[in-house]
Amino acid sequence: MSDLIVKAAVKDALSDQNVSADFYDALDEEVAELLDDAAKRAEANDRKTVQPRDL
């Protein structure tokens, strides 16, 4: 699996919190599932373009 998230951006967004090393892998998996679901919804609606409403 490729990395879908940018660790530095996550660190910036959570600057007031500590972030465990395994958090990034879990977040990456969640994002991958979200993208897969959005792509399936677009396809089910006969579109090749994934749109915000697919989330």
Side-chain angles (χ1 to χ4, degrees):
M1 176 191 319
S2 63
D3 288 333
L4 297 171
I5 57 147
V6 178
K7 290 181 182 180
V10 173
K11 285 182 184 181
D12 286 346
L14 299 174
S15 61
D16 293 337
Q17 303 291 321
N18 294 323
V19 180
S20 68
D22 57 344
F23 177 80
Y24 300 108
D25 290 333
L27 180 59
D28 203 64
E29 288 177 20
E30 289 290 324
V31 170
E33 287 180 31
L34 187 65
L35 294 174
D36 187 47
D37 291 346
K40 287 177 183 174
R41 186 173 189 280
E43 187 177 323
N45 287 291
D46 295 321
R47 289 184 279 109
K48 290 187 177 184
T49 303
V50 179
Q51 300 175 352
R53 63 184 175 201
D54 295 319
L55 295 173

